[in-house]
Amino acid sequence: MKRRQFIQYSSLALASGLIAGCENRAPRTSPSDRERIVYGTNWYAQAEHGGFYQAVATGIYEEYGLDVTIQMGGPQVNLSQLLMGGVLDFTMGGSMGSMQAVYEGVPKVTVAAMFQKDPQILLAHPNTGVETLADLRGRPIYVSSISNSTYWPMLRKEFGFTDDQRRPYNFSVAPFLADTNSAQQGYLSSEPWTVEQQGGFTPVVFLLSDYGYTPYAMTIDTRRRLVEENPDLVQRFVDASIKGWYSYLEDPAPGNELIQQDNPEMSSELLAYGLEKIKEYGLATSGDAEKYGIGIMTAERWEAIFQAMLDAGTVSPDFDYTQGFTLQFVGQSLESRTL
């Protein structure tokens, strides 16, 4: 059995202890007693959001006394603004983007991370002399503006990329397909499949987490005030979401049905491909999650993330990065966790 497969199935086996403990904590409530929660995702519904949709579809959130609505994001959606305005109660983020918002004065906190690896990738054409990430130096690369505060500074510092390589990314693979010398950003669980379908070839894929890009992804962020005033609500949402992710990895059908209701353009084939990549690369279950379970974060990892941002010049040395996260809702091993 391959190591990635061993990690995947070992983590799912360990999850039985987590789920059993969660059952002990989960309150049984009537619909009128459930607290209404709106969770905002970072994009249109897809496999990367599967655990949250699964928790809605299977009634896991209801078991925890929560009435959860998932609100899809998109290219023009400002999640931090909606969170601070009270439209959303929790939002999906990534540790670098969330940390940048805190640095700019947004009082929000990351309380859990569903993915230990960020699925951010760069794609290149095959048979064009691109075999390593460094081979993309000098080539045009289609990237979004948010890359300025996330992965682009790392590529510039560690691999010698230059800003004149950047091309505006419009969330379409068409410009990339038209220029065999180019590269583009994407998600491991999405764009490679789209390129195969539309371009008829398998692209060269570079998962940036394999090259020193180490942020958490698919995080749960919320207002600092909510953490301080209602930690029990935060804990229940975190616990139920973790349970939803284990359920999705075992049987994604309920979550996928709800994903396709929200996003009818999401095909069953792409959902299956996305889940396959999530499992294959251990996006949710690798690293610290092997021992401590899905959702885990550590102080050491956050310090490394801060150092990477500091090295890239996106934050100043006097920034108190510890204000951007809390470990109080995660961190016990699956063997000892009692919820």
Side-chain angles (χ1 to χ4, degrees):
M1 185 180 294
K2 294 182 180 178
R3 181 176 182 274
R4 280 180 179 150
Q5 291 175 314
F6 177 79
I7 290 170
Q8 171 194 336
Y9 294 117
S10 295
S11 296
L12 288 175
L14 285 169
S16 60
L18 172 64
I19 292 173
C22 289
E23 290 288 357
N24 294 332
R25 184 188 182 108
R28 306 296 177 178
T29 59
S30 65
S32 61
D33 294 331
R34 293 172 191 147
E35 294 178 83
R36 295 180 61 85
I37 293 294
V38 182
Y39 180 61
T41 67
N42 61 355
W43 198 247
Y44 307 117
Q46 54 190 291
E48 293 91 335
H49 307 164
F52 301 101
Y53 277 95
Q54 186 85 351
V56 173
T58 60
I60 293 173
Y61 284 130
E62 294 179 359
E63 294 173 2
Y64 285 75
L66 303 174
D67 179 4
V68 175
T69 298
I70 298 177
Q71 182 169 312
M72 291 194 301
Q76 305 303 322
V77 177
N78 188 322
L79 291 177
S80 291
Q81 190 176 71
L82 294 174
L83 179 66
M84 291 303 111
V87 177
L88 304 175
D89 301 293
F90 296 90
T91 58
M92 179 181 291
S95 52
M96 279 194 167
S98 297
M99 188 71 79
Q100 190 68 38
V102 174
Y103 179 66
E104 294 169 359
V106 179
K108 70 177 182 178
V109 182
T110 299
V111 296
M114 300 298 108
F115 281 10
Q116 296 295 305
K117 295 180 181 180
D118 193 303
Q120 189 72 61
I121 60 171
L122 290 183
L123 297 166
H125 288 259
N127 306 314
T128 58
V130 176
E131 298 181 357
T132 69
L133 188 61
D135 291 334
L136 293 178
R137 283 196 299 263
R139 294 172 181 255
I141 305 177
Y142 294 95
V143 294
S144 64
S145 58
I146 198 173
S147 68
N148 283 318
S149 59
T150 53
Y151 64 85
W152 188 259
M154 182 274 291
L155 295 175
R156 190 169 50 202
K157 179 177 182 292
E158 299 296 332
F159 296 94
F161 287 24
T162 56
D163 289 341
D164 60 2
Q165 293 180 246
R166 297 173 60 95
R167 303 291 186 274
Y169 178 58
N170 63 1
F171 304 98
S172 167
V173 300
F176 166 73
L177 293 177
D179 182 0
T180 58
N181 192 49
S182 70
Q184 77 153 64
Q185 72 172 46
Y187 258 24
L188 177 69
S189 46
S190 179
E191 273 71 19
W193 183 88
T194 302
V195 168
E196 289 182 17
Q197 299 302 307
Q198 297 186 17
F201 63 89
T202 300
V204 180
V205 176
F206 299 104
L207 181 63
L208 297 187
S209 67
D210 290 338
Y211 293 87
Y213 184 61
T214 61
Y216 293 116
M218 306 305 148
T219 60
I220 298 175
D221 298 348
T222 191
R223 294 181 292 278
R224 186 175 300 142
R225 183 174 178 179
L226 185 61
V227 169
E228 294 169 350
E229 296 182 353
N230 199 344
D232 176 70
L233 176 65
V234 177
Q235 186 72 71
R236 283 186 284 130
F237 183 74
V238 169
D239 290 347
S241 299
I242 289 171
K243 187 176 176 182
W245 267 105
Y246 279 113
S247 175
Y248 185 70
L249 293 175
E250 290 183 328
D251 176 15
N256 284 346
E257 182 178 352
L258 197 56
I259 286 172
Q260 290 179 310
Q261 287 181 24
D262 270 6
N263 183 11
E265 295 184 3
M266 177 57 60
S267 69
S268 298
E269 292 78 14
L270 181 52
L271 280 171
Y273 178 89
L275 181 58
E276 175 189 344
K277 295 305 177 183
I278 290 170
K279 290 182 175 181
E280 178 185 351
Y281 286 84
L283 298 187
T285 55
S286 63
D288 292 320
E290 294 179 42
K291 181 178 181 181
Y292 297 107
I294 292 174
I296 184 63
M297 305 185 300
T298 67
E300 294 77 13
R301 180 82 170 269
W302 277 104
E303 182 179 9
I305 292 167
F306 165 67
Q307 188 61 52
M309 297 178 72
L310 187 62
D311 291 344
T314 57
V315 297
S316 61
D318 60 352
F319 171 46
D320 182 7
Y321 72 94
T322 63
Q323 296 298 305
F325 68 95
T326 178
L327 305 180
Q328 73 185 83
F329 304 106
V330 295
Q332 295 175 302
S333 69
L334 292 178
E335 295 90 337
S336 64
R337 186 175 177 126
T338 302
L339 301 180

